[in-house]
Amino acid sequence: MRTIPGLERAEIMRPGYAIEYDYADPLQLAPSLESKLVCGLFHAGQINGTTGYEEAAAQGLVAGANAAVPREARSR
């Protein structure tokens, strides 16, 4: 840390760790995982609040399949 210009005299008082993620409100997603707010935007994975790889993979398949459907054929 002290090798960064301006932090030569910095001291770590207490080490910490935190990762924050934004998420999409599930009520703002259609069953196809398309956003109700932005047409053509599909969500999958951590943005939907999932923490598991399997869940994220399944959501990716659902969102990807639905994204491939022509827009005029999608129901809202």
Side-chain angles (χ1 to χ4, degrees), residues 5-75:
L7 299 179
E8 294 86 1
R9 298 185 330 199
E11 293 183 32
I12 297 177
M13 305 296 286
R14 181 177 9 158
Y17 176 81
I19 296 177
E20 296 181 24
Y21 297 100
D22 286 334
Y23 72 97
D25 183 347
L27 297 175
Q28 295 301 321
L29 296 177
S32 64
L33 299 180
E34 182 177 15
S35 168
K36 292 179 181 177
L37 302 175
V38 181
C39 185
L41 177 64
F42 292 81
H43 294 173
Q46 285 185 333
I47 196 164
N48 288 348
T50 183
T51 57
Y53 294 117
E54 295 85 0
E55 294 169 74
Q59 287 181 11
L61 288 172
V62 170
N66 286 311
V69 173
R71 181 174 293 183
E72 51 278 351
R74 282 189 233 138
S75 62

